[in-house]
């Protein structure tokens, strides 16, 4: 049997696409290799959101190229956002690459990978005609499933490459989404995460007879028997309308957790980023969400060193972080992306300043996250068991409704909901012991 190995970079959308890439390859009769060294086909599902993943891919392709010199039959395939951004140029940059395909072209993979001795065909891009969800899949986490609700993004954040590589936003039909969620529940899935680049603008581009909005989708998923937890990512603050807040407050299965990217605390920088909200509007939205949804956990994304960001702008970011008190935050150094407006802006911030700001930001983010987790000690959390702990196999690992990872003692099966007494906390995890199983 020929075997493949897949390496995934980037966001949840890519992780989900990878499940479909695996499903496609397995439906063609390929098996999964345990390492790249044992594979006949190595596939990279790439990300190009910042320079770092580009650099990492370059090293991986160097290794793969060396193996190909020893074994000329090795097929090297590059999919995802980097492939889409580079298009045919990828074959000049990396002559060892046999197949390249964009995120919208996964369905065509079968035509290209040379299964059954058929020759390998080089690349195809930018079709975006299929939802990955309609393809066979190979799910990675037992009780949890990603569910794609839209593809692409209609925003035009000036720093971001995603609209260029993922295309215009297209919502998936509500009936198709609910049918998939119903099937997942029947297969034993208890938690779903609805995925879209701008997940809460879902529905607006649907045909008039089925046009609806994201709050209605939350309600429809909540009504599916067996689904205990619903999450979604990432919402855009500009599209967080009242019906969505009401649905979150009223649906039992919708978790008390929102990842709400702020990007900057300076209204001046937010404008240059084309985020279409101000600091004040963002903070007012947070207050409204907290008033409607008790015990809400908030996560965010922050970029430091956007072109023109002054010390005063950066201080405003720190102020917002202190004011909102996030439970978690992803912090990024601004990385110019070819073809985006921000990359062409004159007043780029020096690397040393960006790094210094990132350090200061991380310090504040971690202190607050540690304080917030410490507040949970002594309480009881409902935890969905995922399996053994990553750091200590004597412990179990799971997640709370507020999306905090918990390591705990006791015995339970993956996919079970248990109550855990919290006994300790760090800035990123809780630890504790099982109190009792939660009645189904
Ligand atoms: N669609 C999602 C995620 C986009 S990418 C959303 O809009 O929320 C995830 C995060 O990467 C963004 O929220 C942003 O914080 C960061 N990011 C995007 N482009 C970047 C760039 N050029 N440099 C640094 N960080 C970037
Ligand atoms: Fe990028 Fe902005 Fe779209 Fe998010 S909303 S994917 S940051 S353009
Ligand atoms: Fe990266 Fe593409 Fe996701 S650029 S962040 S993998 S949409």
């Amino acid at each position: 049997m020929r075997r493949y190995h897949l390496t995934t970079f980037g966001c949840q959308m890519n992780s989900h696409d990878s499940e479909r890439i695996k499903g496609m390859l397995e439906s063609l009769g390929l098996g999964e290799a345990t390492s790249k060294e044992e594979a006949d086909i190595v596939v990279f599902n790439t990300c190009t959101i910042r320079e770092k993943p580009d650099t990492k891919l370059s090293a991986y392709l160097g290794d793969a190229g060396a193996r190909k010199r020893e074994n000329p039959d090795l097929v090297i395939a590059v999919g995802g956002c980097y492939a889409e951004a580079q298009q045919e140029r990828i074959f000049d940059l990396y002559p060892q690459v046999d197949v390249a395909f964009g995120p919208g072209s996964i369905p065509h993979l079968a035509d290209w990978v040379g299964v059954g001795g058929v020759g390998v065909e080089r690349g195809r891009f930018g079709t975006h005609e299929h939802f990955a969800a309609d393809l066979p899949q190979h799910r990675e986490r037992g009780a949890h499933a990603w569910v794609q609700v839209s593809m692409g993004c209609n925003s035009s954040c000036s720093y971001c490459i995603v609209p260029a590589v993922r295309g215009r936003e297209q919502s998936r039909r509500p009936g198709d989404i609910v049918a998939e969620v119903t099937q997942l529940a029947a297969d034993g899935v208890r938690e779903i995460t609805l995925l879209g680049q701008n997940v809460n603008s879902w529905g607006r581009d649907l045909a008039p007879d089925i046009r609806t909005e994201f709050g209605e989708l939350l309600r429809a998923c909540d009504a599916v028997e067996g689904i205990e937890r619903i999450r979604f990512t990432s919402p855009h603050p500009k599209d967080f309308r009242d019906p969505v807040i009401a649905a979150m407050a009223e649906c039992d299965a919708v978790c008390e957790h929102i990842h709400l990217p702020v990007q900057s605390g300076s209204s001046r920088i937010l404008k240059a980023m084309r985020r279409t909200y101000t600091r004040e509007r963002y903070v007012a939205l947070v207050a409204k969400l907290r008033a409607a949804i008790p015990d809400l956990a908030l996560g965010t994304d922050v970029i430091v060193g956007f072109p023109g960001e002054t010390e005063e702008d950066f201080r405003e970011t720190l102020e917002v972080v202190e004011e909102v008190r996030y439970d978690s935050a992803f912090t990024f150094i601004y990385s110019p992306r070819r073809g985006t407006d921000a990359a062409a802006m004159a007043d780029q911030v020096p690397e040393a300043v960006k790094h210094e700001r990132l350090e200061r930001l991380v310090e504040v983010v971690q202190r607050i996250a540690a304080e917030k987790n410490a507040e949970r000690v002594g309480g009881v959390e409902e935890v969905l068991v995922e399996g053994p702990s990553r750091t200590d196999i004597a412990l179990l690992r799971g997640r709370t409704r507020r999306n905090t990872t918990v390591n705990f003692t006791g015995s339970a099966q993956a996919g079970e909901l248990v109550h855990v007494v919290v006994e300790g906390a760090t800035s990123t995890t809780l630890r504790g012991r099982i109190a009792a199983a939660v009645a189904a």
Side-chain angles (χ1 to χ4, degrees), residues 187-216:
D187 294 345
V189 167
R190 306 192 82 176
E191 176 176 320
I192 56 169
T193 303
L194 305 177
L195 288 182
Q197 291 300 341
N198 187 344
V199 71
N200 54 338
S201 73
W202 174 85
R204 288 184 207 144
D205 59 327
L206 291 167
D209 56 322
I210 53 168
R211 189 167 305 148
T212 171
E213 55 80 42
F214 189 64
E216 286 307 312

Side-chain angles (χ1 to χ4, degrees), residues 13 15-17 19-20 130-150 171-195 202 217 220-227 230:
M13 201 67 81
S15 302
H16 186 45
D17 285 351
E19 295 181 327
R20 305 296 169 168
H130 282 276
F131 281 101
D134 298 330
L135 303 172
Q137 71 167 330
H138 165 125
R139 252 189 319 110
E140 294 294 337
R141 276 162 64 187
H144 173 269
W146 308 110
V147 177
Q148 187 186 12
V149 307
S150 61
S171 296
R172 198 172 159 208
R173 297 165 60 94
D176 294 349
I177 299 170
V178 174
E180 185 183 356
V181 173
T182 306
Q183 184 57 51
L184 288 167
D187 294 345
V189 167
R190 306 192 82 176
E191 176 176 320
I192 56 169
T193 303
L194 305 177
L195 288 182
W202 174 85
L217 183 64
C221 293
D222 180 68
V224 174
E225 197 70 38
I227 298 296
I230 300 168

Side-chain angles (χ1 to χ4, degrees), residues 153-157 159-163 197-198 236 263 275:
C153 179
N154 284 357
S155 295
S156 51
C157 304
Y159 51 81
C160 185
I161 195 74
V162 171
Q197 291 300 341
N198 187 344
H236 195 302
Q263 313 299 4
R275 289 292 288 177

Side-chain angles (χ1 to χ4, degrees), residues 298-329:
L298 280 173
T300 200
D301 292 342
V302 187
I303 298 175
V304 302
F306 183 84
E309 185 188 74
T310 62
E311 173 62 24
E312 182 50 37
D313 292 317
F314 175 65
R315 274 207 214 115
E316 289 201 59
T317 297
L318 291 180
E319 279 167 23
V320 170
V321 170
E322 294 274 7
E323 192 175 340
V324 174
R325 292 180 62 77
Y326 293 102
D327 295 86
S328 64

Side-chain angles (χ1 to χ4, degrees), residues 59 132 159 195 231 240-241 273 283 292 337 409 414:
Y159 51 81
L195 288 182
R231 306 185 190 280
F240 226 116
R241 311 236 167 115
M273 288 177 162
V283 170
R337 304 281 70 201
T409 56

